[in-house]
């Protein structure tokens, strides 16, 4: 487990390790905590923890976080 992975990130789908690293990066960029990201995963996929997501679900969650981040940047740019 790399330094970018959260302490609680144990196990999970080995196919999604790199995707989860991206998720944690997006999480930090947004200023979110692990509970917020897991809550979004719960709402989107009915899965309690991101470690339990499959590759396609991880990809969708990454894109959702990127969209949330982009919306925040657009709001900050408005006068």
């Amino acid at each position: 487990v790399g330094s970018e992975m959260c302490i609680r990130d144990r196990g999970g789908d080995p196919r999604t390790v790199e995707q989860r690293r991206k998720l944690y990066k997006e999480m930090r960029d947004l200023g979110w905590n692990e509970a917020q990201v897991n809550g979004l995963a719960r709402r989107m996929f009915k899965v309690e923890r991101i470690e339990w997501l499959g590759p396609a679900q991880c990809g969708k969650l990454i894109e959702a976080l990127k969209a949330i981040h982009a919306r925040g940047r657009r709001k900050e740019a408005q006068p």
Side-chain angles (χ1 to χ4, degrees), residues 43-59:
R43 284 191 301 277
M44 289 178 69
F45 307 110
K46 309 295 187 253
V47 172
E48 291 297 314
R49 301 193 51 80
I50 65 171
E51 295 94 314
W52 302 341
L53 297 174
Q57 293 170 319
C58 272

Side-chain angles (χ1 to χ4, degrees), residues 44-78:
M44 289 178 69
F45 307 110
K46 309 295 187 253
V47 172
E48 291 297 314
R49 301 193 51 80
I50 65 171
E51 295 94 314
W52 302 341
L53 297 174
Q57 293 170 319
C58 272
K60 289 177 183 178
L61 186 57
I62 290 167
E63 292 306 313
L65 290 173
K66 286 180 180 178
I68 292 167
H69 196 195
R71 274 195 304 267
R73 285 191 305 254
R74 282 195 301 270
K75 285 183 181 179
E76 290 173 0
Q78 291 178 350

